[in-house]
Each structure stands twice: as structure tokens, then as C-alpha cells.
Amino acid sequence: MAKLMPGRVRNEGIELFEKDLITIHQVSETQLDTTVDQHHLIYALNDSEITCDCDYFVQKGYCPHLAAVEYYLKNDKEGQRLLAKLEEKQESAQDQERGRSFGGLFLEGLSLNEDDTVRYSLMVEGEESTFGSEIWWSIRLRRLPDERSYVIRDIPAFLKLVEAEGYYQIGKNYYEPLSLIQFDQASQAFLDFLGRMIPDEAKTNLDFILPNNARNLCLPYGFFEEGLRRMQDLDGFRFEWEGTEYRQLLVEDLTADAQLFSFDICVEPKMIELTVAEKNSQAFFNNRILFYQGVFYRLNRKQQKLLVGLRSLPIGSDLNKHVSFNLDEQAILAASLFDFRTMGPVKAPKAFNIKDFTPRFRFDLKGDSEIILTLAFDFDGFLVHDRQELSHLGFTSNYRHEQAVFRLMSKHGFTPDFQSSKRLSSSQELYDFFTNTLPDFENAGTALIGQVLRDLRVEQSPQVQVERQGNLLDISFDFSSLDDEDVDNALAALMESSPYFINRSGQLIVFDEATHRISESLKTLRARYSGKGHLELNQLTAYQLMDALSESDSVRFSKDFQLLTQHLSKPETFDLPTYKVEAGLRPYQERGVQWLSMLHHYGFGGILADDMGLGKTLQTIAYLSAHLEEGQRVLVLSPSSLIYNWQDEFKKFAP
């Protein structure tokens, strides 16, 4: 009987009893067969025999249906009669059990198999502080099973005592040992929460958390919701505010459905009047939370600002608040209604319905360096070209959208108006206009560019030709619209990683992304400018150059260059020369001769690094026999100990 369960669950059970949702089907000697709110429940004095078919009971071992039956047995006359009958039959059964033997009676009297550990639970009560606008919570220790409770007068000291498993004073002269395991599950969870919330008092001033000499608890904002949830899990939770007692509290976001506020707009001949009605709610945590009739409402940032503003308004004779606006302020008031509607219902004329628009921007060039911006608002085909037209609309323009457009203009150096201009003082500003400014306006609406201004920007994607010239690689750039001098300037800009340059006609020449990638690759390979639109590289870089530029559609490679890269990557494709040695070369030795011959053909050096004994000397002699002409000499450098070996090898294979 009287299973430990949270106060919230017991309150739900009381509601089920009060709604008359309990039906008794059968009373046996030790059990009640019942239905509670369409759930089948077997009740017994022995907790192990209690069952309910609801999911909550399966998970927790208790449920609101059990709480309803227990309340019925304790508080209803018929229920009290049934309970007395069950207790009588249980006593009789226990007497029969004891009567079996003297030994059984002896052991029963000792109660050796019973858990005689004293159990405790916590209770919490909340009320308005003596300073107002704060909630002070008091914590009580309840001793089970006698259910006497004691106010905890020093909360941090109590927490330390429980942690240390010390003795707690109960009454004037009575002490009992306390430990965490002696508390019910909900109380243990609450004690853990307090341990996390309350910092080390030696290092922190705790007056704001533990007011009234640590006799009370004041939840900080960051711990409020969790703390409230933990408290309500405790049996016997109670909160009193302005004479009303609450056993259950909710936490929700503030929406218009709460109807804590209402807004009414009336348009007069010379003004607009806003009337605000507010219910008597209590604000906490610097206007972050409102309390009204058992519900704590969370406020977002805008709602917090609105609350502060609304509560600063004077109260009229009708107990409401009134604010007057000029007629030309209709747009800004209509835009604010979006936020008002998050706090309560809004009543406004149809003229306050907001109609959005598409901004149209036109850019033209005046003189050599002045950009003219003309703005229009397009309301589904109806164009507004100035502020006067905007103020005489038959509907309300989207004020916030208007401000966003004007902020964009200010950001890029234009006066926030329907007619504006900006003077460009450098080539960098011209480049920034096309690269940064114009895309921002295109994202915000429709952007049109006059032909003169449009012609000021030219994007270049030159064709690149790579050829072999002796021991060098020649890279030429073909800029179709540039003369030789501008081509030189273009290449200089590219090699300096500049994204643009200004030609002699004042045009902004912008390189495309592919050209930038090519120039960066050439810079990495240390290309040198050779004049007249040409760059040069050592042909040793041929393979790297091919690898870097092969995927670019704007690059063309000469056949001679392609053959070079082929031979570098696949030396076996180079023709094997006719060598003259008196020995048969193995396949790998012939490949070595091919490779050496390829390096010789292109003027490269190389190292033949075969392992010892694989015939490096023979390969070298074969290579020399293929390329030395009559009268030519070659210098062989070797350790002195190998001179005679080389002499012998020449005599043997190439006498």
C-alpha cells in the first residue's frame, strides 16, 4: 500500500478519481479487480501482486491508475470499507501462517528478512519571495513510514552531510544517519541536480541561489526548467502564488494562443492608434519568462524587447495602454505586427496587410567614372519610383524589405534612395563593382546594366599554345582583342596573380578562372617572361607542365611537345638505336640503352642505377657505340681501381 510515486502522478490519479473513472469488478480475499480509465488494474496490499496493463506501469512500477485506486481506498467511504476488508483478510492469513510452528513465529518476530532501513523522501514548496519577482523554494525532509517532515534550514550543509553519510538532526535532540541510497529515486535525482547547480560556497557568493541564510532555494535561469521538472517529480510538490496553490506547473514557449496580450489598431483621420491589452502576468529572469495561471512562458529575444517596451507604456483609464502613430508611419507599424502576433492576437484594418515587392536596379555610367543607380519597387507590375509614390499606396509595403534594400545600397557606397550615384576613384573600385557589388544587387532583385557600363568590362579567356624550341618550352597566349602592348600588360598582371588589368582604352580586362589556374601552374614551374606575349620554361618541366595543363580546354600542345612528354613518361616508345657491341643484350639492358638514348636526344642528363652485376658498363658501352662518331671522344670518370676494368670491358665488347 502507498507505493512511492511522484506528486505529479498522484495528482493525475486524483483527477481520474474525481472524474469517476474507477470501476470495481470483483473483490477476492486479497485483491481488487478494477478498471481505471479503460485500463485493467489488479490491486493488492502486497506490492508485488499489483499489476496494470498500461505502458507507464510496465516502465515505472507505478502509474496514475494505481494512484487513483489508492486515493479511492483512502478517501471514499466505500473504498475505505473495501480497504478494511482487505486488511482484515490479510491479517487473518498472516495469523494462520504464524500458527504453523513456534519456530516460524519466533523468526517472524525477529523480522530478520525485512529491510528495516529508514527511508526518506524530499518535498518542495515554492512561493513569492519577500522581495517580489522571485520564487523562493523551501525543501522538507520527510521520514518514512511515519511521514513526518522537517524543514531543511541549511541546504548546502544538508547536501554535504548526505554526501559524507553523516548524522542529521531531526528534532531537538535526535540524530539519524543519512545516505543517498536511503532516499527514493525522485529525491536522489533532485539531490544530484542540486549538487550540480550549487557551486563550491567557499569560492562563490551563493546569496542569489540560496537566499535567507541558505534556508531557501532560488533557481537560476539556466537551471530553472530542469529544476522545476525535478521538483514536480517529488511527492507533495506545492507552489503558491498570489493566493492560488498549484500542484502542477507547465513550461511553454509564448505564442498568441496564450492570449496574454492583444493588439487593436484603429485608423483615425489624422493618426493611427494602437491599443494594447495585457493580462496580469508575472515576469521572471529579466523578462525571459512570464508566469500566468500555472504556466511559465518562455520569451524569445524579440518578445523580451517587446515586453520591456510595452510595460513602459502608461496605463489609460480603461486599464489598457495606448500608442499613437502618424499616418505616414503605417508601413513601419504594419511590419511590427509580425512580432506582435507572436505575443497575442492582432486586430487591424485590411490596409495593414503587407504586400511585398521586387526591387529593380539599373546601373548606368556617367562620364568616365560615375555610376548612376536608379531604383524602382515592382509590386506585381505596379512600379514605384520615389518615396512620394511609396507613401500613397493603397496597401502597406513591406517595410523590412525596404530597409534591407536601402541597407544594401549603403553597404556599397550608394545613397539609400530611389536615385543615387557613386564615383569610382580607382581600377580596384571598378573591379570590386563588377565582382562584388553587382552580384549582391543581382541576388537582392533584378539588376540591369547600361550598354556603356557593360562594355567597360571584358572577360578574357586566351588560347594557350605550348611548343618546343631547342632546349626550351615556349608558352604563348593569344588574346584576340588585345594588341601587343596590352598582351604584355595582361601577362604581367597574370604573373603577379592580379585578377584584372586596365587596358589602354580604359576597359577592365578580367581573366576567367581557367586562365588563373594556368598562370598559377606556370608560376609554380617558374616560367619566365620572354616578351611579346610569350613565356618560356626549361624543357625538363615538360612532364609536370603536361600534367598541370592537360585538362584545360584552352591549352594546345604541339606534336613535338606531345612526343617529348610521351618519351619522358614511356621511354620504351623511343626508337632503339643501332648499337655495335660483341655481345647479346638482354631485354632490360636494351631498355636501358633506349632510355639513355632518349635523354641524349633531348639534351637531358640521367643516372643508370641498376643493381650491381646487371651490366651497367655494357649498357653504357652500347649507348656510346650508337652515338659516337668518327673522331669523337668521351670522358669516363671512375674510381682509379676500376680504370682497368673499363679498359678491359671496352676491349671485350667494342674493340
Side-chain angles (χ1 to χ4, degrees), residues 582 621 644-655:
E582 295 181 357
I621 293 172
Y644 294 106
N645 181 67
W646 273 94
Q647 188 176 14
D648 291 341
E649 294 283 305
F650 271 110
K651 288 180 179 179
K652 181 179 179 180
F653 297 115

Side-chain angles (χ1 to χ4, degrees), residues 95 97-111:
D95 289 341
E97 185 97 9
R98 291 191 188 98
R100 289 181 299 176
S101 69
F102 177 78
L105 183 63
F106 170 74
L107 294 176
E108 187 77 19
L110 293 176
S111 302

Side-chain angles (χ1 to χ4, degrees), residues 7-209:
R8 169 180 53 81
V9 177
R10 291 204 177 276
N11 290 335
E12 292 177 11
I14 293 171
E15 291 180 5
L16 294 174
F17 167 77
E18 292 176 345
K19 292 178 181 179
D20 198 24
L21 297 177
I22 301 175
T23 303
I24 307 297
H25 299 297
Q26 185 178 355
V27 183
S28 67
E29 290 188 357
T30 58
Q31 296 179 342
L32 296 180
D33 190 336
T34 69
T35 298
V36 183
D37 193 21
Q38 301 182 357
H39 287 277
H40 184 227
L41 184 143
I42 301 295
Y43 180 82
L45 295 178
N46 188 351
D47 288 350
S48 63
E49 299 177 10
I50 299 175
T51 61
C52 183
D53 63 6
C54 71
D55 294 336
Y56 199 96
F57 185 89
V58 174
Q59 296 175 2
K60 301 288 188 179
Y62 55 82
C63 61
H65 313 108
L66 173 59
V69 172
E70 289 191 347
Y71 188 86
Y72 162 74
L73 295 174
K74 284 185 177 181
N75 298 275
D76 186 87
K77 286 185 178 180
E78 179 62 23
Q80 291 172 350
R81 187 187 67 78
L82 291 176
L83 178 61
K85 188 176 179 181
L86 287 176
E87 290 175 341
E88 182 182 350
K89 291 182 177 180
Q90 185 184 50
E91 234 179 89
S92 175
Q94 289 175 347
D95 289 341
Q96 292 177 5
E97 185 97 9
R98 291 191 188 98
R100 289 181 299 176
S101 69
F102 177 78
L105 183 63
F106 170 74
L107 294 176
E108 187 77 19
L110 293 176
S111 302
L112 296 177
N113 297 315
E114 293 182 6
D115 184 5
D116 59 356
T117 305
V118 177
R119 301 292 179 181
Y120 299 94
S121 67
L122 296 176
M123 302 170 57
V124 173
E125 298 176 348
E127 59 185 1
E128 184 178 8
S129 75
T130 55
F131 304 104
S133 71
E134 286 186 356
I135 302 173
W136 282 8
W137 304 93
S138 61
I139 306 174
R140 301 180 71 89
L141 174 67
R142 185 170 66 173
R143 188 178 186 274
L144 305 174
D146 57 17
E147 301 204 4
R148 295 184 63 181
S149 63
Y150 308 88
V151 176
I152 297 173
R153 303 180 183 277
D154 189 333
I155 295 173
F158 176 79
L159 293 176
K160 289 183 178 180
L161 187 145
V162 173
E163 183 180 2
E165 299 186 359
Y167 282 80
Y168 184 72
Q169 183 177 358
I170 298 179
K172 292 183 179 181
N173 302 307
Y174 184 64
Y175 293 82
E176 280 192 0
L178 286 184
S179 64
L180 187 63
I181 61 172
Q182 292 177 290
F183 290 85
D184 61 28
Q185 188 173 358
S187 299
Q188 290 186 33
F190 183 59
L191 289 170
D192 176 72
F193 164 76
L194 291 178
R196 288 185 285 109
M197 186 191 73
I198 301 175
D200 187 351
E201 58 182 325
K203 301 179 181 178
T204 311
N205 183 3
L206 301 180
D207 290 345
F208 71 102
I209 296 179

Side-chain angles (χ1 to χ4, degrees), residues 97-356:
E97 185 97 9
R98 291 191 188 98
R100 289 181 299 176
S101 69
F102 177 78
L105 183 63
F106 170 74
L107 294 176
E108 187 77 19
L110 293 176
S111 302
L112 296 177
N113 297 315
E114 293 182 6
D115 184 5
D116 59 356
T117 305
V118 177
R119 301 292 179 181
Y120 299 94
S121 67
L122 296 176
M123 302 170 57
V124 173
E125 298 176 348
E127 59 185 1
E128 184 178 8
S129 75
T130 55
F131 304 104
S133 71
E134 286 186 356
I135 302 173
W136 282 8
W137 304 93
S138 61
I139 306 174
R140 301 180 71 89
L141 174 67
R142 185 170 66 173
R143 188 178 186 274
L144 305 174
D146 57 17
E147 301 204 4
R148 295 184 63 181
S149 63
Y150 308 88
V151 176
I152 297 173
R153 303 180 183 277
D154 189 333
I155 295 173
F158 176 79
L159 293 176
K160 289 183 178 180
L161 187 145
V162 173
E163 183 180 2
E165 299 186 359
Y167 282 80
Y168 184 72
Q169 183 177 358
I170 298 179
K172 292 183 179 181
N173 302 307
Y174 184 64
Y175 293 82
E176 280 192 0
L178 286 184
S179 64
L180 187 63
I181 61 172
Q182 292 177 290
F183 290 85
D184 61 28
Q185 188 173 358
S187 299
Q188 290 186 33
F190 183 59
L191 289 170
D192 176 72
F193 164 76
L194 291 178
R196 288 185 285 109
M197 186 191 73
I198 301 175
D200 187 351
E201 58 182 325
K203 301 179 181 178
T204 311
N205 183 3
L206 301 180
D207 290 345
F208 71 102
I209 296 179
L210 301 166
N212 195 18
N213 296 320
R215 183 185 178 103
N216 294 104
L217 176 69
C218 189
L219 295 174
Y221 178 75
F223 290 92
F224 180 75
E225 290 192 42
E226 182 185 0
L228 199 61
R229 186 174 66 253
R230 299 292 185 189
M231 289 177 179
Q232 293 190 85
D233 286 340
L234 301 173
D235 198 7
F237 171 81
R238 188 178 70 86
F239 175 67
E240 184 177 336
W241 193 266
E242 295 184 346
T244 302
E245 184 178 287
Y246 302 93
R247 298 285 182 174
Q248 186 173 5
L249 301 171
L250 300 176
V251 182
E252 300 175 355
D253 291 328
L254 178 62
T255 64
D257 295 337
Q259 298 191 359
L260 297 188
F261 303 86
S262 62
F263 306 89
D264 191 357
I265 295 176
C266 181
V267 180
E268 306 290 345
K270 295 184 178 180
M271 58 175 288
I272 303 171
E273 184 175 276
L274 169 65
T275 301
V276 183
E278 179 184 354
K279 291 182 179 178
N280 187 27
S281 58
Q282 176 63 52
F284 297 100
F285 304 111
N286 196 24
N287 299 305
R288 292 183 176 183
I289 286 180
L290 285 179
F291 177 75
Y292 181 73
Q293 293 187 351
V295 182
F296 289 95
Y297 295 98
R298 312 182 197 91
L299 278 69
N300 59 38
R301 286 182 174 272
K302 280 195 174 181
Q303 290 174 331
Q304 294 170 36
K305 292 171 65 176
L306 276 171
L307 179 63
V308 172
L310 293 173
R311 292 198 164 176
S312 67
L313 299 174
I315 299 176
S317 58
D318 60 352
L319 301 181
N320 294 324
K321 299 175 180 180
H322 302 270
V323 190
S324 298
F325 299 85
N326 296 328
L327 294 176
D328 59 2
E329 294 174 317
Q330 177 175 318
I332 186 172
L333 176 57
S336 300
L337 297 184
F338 284 115
D339 298 318
F340 290 167
R341 288 189 176 95
T342 68
M343 300 188 70
V346 175
K347 183 179 179 183
K350 290 184 178 180
F352 280 76
N353 293 337
I354 294 176
K355 189 173 183 178
D356 207 355

Side-chain angles (χ1 to χ4, degrees), residues 468 543 560-575 594-595 598-599 601-602 604:
R468 279 188 66 225
Y543 188 75
D560 198 20
F561 176 82
Q562 294 181 51
L563 188 61
L564 166 62
T565 58
Q566 176 187 323
H567 289 158
L568 287 173
S569 60
K570 297 179 180 179
E572 66 274 11
T573 62
F574 189 83
D575 291 339
Q594 275 181 297
W595 181 70
M598 183 271 293
L599 295 179
H601 176 75
Y602 290 112
F604 296 150

